[in-house]
Amino acid sequence: MSTPAPVVVSFNNPPAFITLQAHMLAEERRYPGTSGHLSWIVSALAIAAKTIAAKLKNAGIEDVLGDFGSQNVQGERQQKLDVIANHLLIQLLGQREGVAVIGSEENDELLMVEAEAGGGQRFAVLFDPLDGSANLDVGGNVGTIFSIFEVPPGGEQLLQPGRRQVAAGYVLYGSSTIFVLTAGHGVHLFVLDTAVGAFIRVQRDLRIPAVGQIYAVNEANLASFPAGYQHYLAQCRETGFTSRYAGAMVADVHRVLLKGGIFLYPPTAKAPTGKLRLMYEANPMAMIIEQAGGLASTGGGSILDVCPEHLHQRVPVALGSPENVTALLAELVRQA
Ligand code: P6P
């Protein structure tokens, strides 16, 4: 009987079972002289995601729902799970070699982490620990959003434009737990295999559809949107679009990434510079969308080119399929 030919497996022709960890290690091998710290940071984010997912599955049985009884720096009521998720991420990232700075929606200031003796690359990790947490009590989708920058040796310029992110992504806690990641070479999608306890890559180099028929926006604010947004949304309604809005950026952006269309949080009377935060909501989502072939704009320029002034700065957001965002921007110019 002839001996079967050996199965050759390589990064370009990977086996089906690629974990998030294996993927990140291969990504880091693209950069000569890296320290492996970026992979360790993504590993800490994955552990946090698995822990948060487990708590969410038992929410209600475990006493993790409802108000924590305090407000965050945004003046928003903190949910118990906001605080739990935030503490978990800070603890896990604070123990990871290579984390120099931590920034969270839930913390007023940046947290500086003492340097390890070992040296090597150091990073700033910014996150919204539990995006859309108002959905928790009603069993809605929530997520974690993260943004990672390399901190230059001097460490002086901590808040950098989103174009300088080295990695970004989000975790969607939904019917399954989905980890979406880019490290500058495409967008990749992982699903938590609860039997194994690992995130398994299910989609590589995900591309957003060039155009879509879905818009995601809180239409209760329509009257206070600038005219260009109102005209664009009227055109959408007249041309057969459907509206889908979860009230959680991660869920709404994930749908646009997979199905095409546009996600909008325009300036409103209540939030004249937009509601969403640049550093840990708009920037990471913009990197994901642009890496998938989409566009991400403040309505006046690319989100990734905004020079940040402070950690909790807000910006208007319009992101999604290139044809949809381009049509919106043309309407904004027409109505300016
Ligand atoms: P609104 C959740 O509070 C959040 O920060 C985003 O996840 C979401 O897209 C937006 O705010 C929803 O805001 O004003 O429509 O409830």
Side-chain angles (χ1 to χ4, degrees):
M1 194 168 99
S2 64
T3 351
V7 176
V8 177
V9 174
S10 75
F11 182 65
N12 297 320
N13 166 29
F17 196 86
I18 291 271
T19 63
L20 174 60
Q21 204 55 56
H23 173 91
M24 259 321 292
L25 287 168
E27 287 281 282
E28 273 214 274
R29 278 202 293 276
R30 295 171 185 267
Y31 305 96
T34 54
S35 53
H37 288 166
L38 186 56
S39 295
W40 267 120
I41 288 169
V42 171
S43 154
L45 293 168
I47 295 168
K50 289 183 233 179
T51 309
I52 294 167
K55 289 194 177 301
L56 288 169
K57 289 290 176 232
N58 270 347
I61 300 166
E62 275 187 56
D63 178 23
V64 293
L65 290 178
D67 276 11
F68 181 70
S70 61
Q71 285 192 347
N72 63 16
V73 63
Q74 328 281 343
E76 294 162 344
R77 292 205 323 246
Q78 289 181 302
Q79 303 294 304
K80 286 175 191 163
L81 266 168
D82 279 322
V83 177
I84 293 166
N86 191 46
H87 286 170
L88 183 65
L89 279 157
I90 291 171
Q91 275 176 343
L92 286 164
L93 289 166
Q95 293 158 17
R96 278 295 196 259
E97 207 177 344
V99 174
V101 184
I102 295 172
S104 167
E105 179 195 44
E106 302 299 333
N107 291 70
D108 301 10
E109 304 297 334
L110 290 169
L111 306 172
M112 312 309 285
V113 181
E114 221 172 303
E116 303 273 331
Q121 287 171 296
R122 303 200 77 213
F123 297 91
V125 186
L126 311 174
F127 53 79
D128 180 353
L130 210 58
D131 170 66
S133 55
N135 284 346
L136 281 170
D137 289 357
V138 295
N141 285 148
V142 291
T144 297
I145 311 174
F146 60 89
S147 167
I148 304 174
F149 292 89
E150 187 166 358
V151 174
E156 63 289 341
Q157 176 59 28
L158 292 179
L159 294 182
Q160 305 171 52
R163 194 76 61 196
R164 302 286 306 274
Q165 293 172 106
V166 294
Y170 59 84
V171 183
L172 174 60
Y173 307 102
S175 45
S176 57
T177 301
I178 298 169
F179 198 110
V180 178
L181 171 73
T182 181
H185 295 276
V187 175
H188 313 288
L189 197 150
F190 304 80
V191 173
L192 179 61
D193 179 337
T194 50
V196 175
F199 280 103
I200 308 303
R201 192 174 70 194
V202 296
Q203 263 190 289
R204 200 174 159 198
D205 295 323
L206 199 151
R207 304 295 290 171
I208 189 169
V211 65
Q213 290 283 101
I214 296 172
Y215 67 75
V217 67
N218 184 341
E219 288 187 288
N221 302 322
L222 187 66
S224 68
F225 291 165
Y229 292 94
Q230 298 192 32
H231 282 255
Y232 172 73
L233 290 168
Q235 286 167 12
C236 290
R237 286 192 294 275
E238 286 150 17
T239 52
F241 274 61
T242 190
S243 167
R244 290 284 183 273
Y245 193 65
M249 186 182 199
V250 173
D252 288 318
V253 172
H254 189 64
R255 181 188 296 110
V256 166
L257 176 65
L258 297 186
K259 305 286 185 190
I262 190 167
F263 170 83
L264 295 170
Y265 208 104
T268 66
K270 210 170 121 197
T273 60
K275 173 184 180 184
L276 301 175
R277 275 62 51 132
L278 172 66
M279 297 309 294
Y280 42 80
E281 290 176 319
N283 270 340
M285 290 308 197
M287 184 178 184
I288 288 281
I289 292 293
E290 286 205 3
Q291 280 285 319
L295 294 176
S297 173
T298 63
S302 169
I303 287 171
L304 295 179
D305 293 333
V306 175
C307 289
E309 286 158 19
H310 60 85
L311 175 60
H312 301 295
Q313 174 176 345
R314 299 170 190 266
V315 289
V317 173
L319 57 79
S321 297
E323 288 184 30
N324 296 90
V325 177
T326 303
L328 166 76
L329 296 178
E331 199 55 42
L332 294 185
V333 169
R334 260 195 293 279
Q335 302 299 331

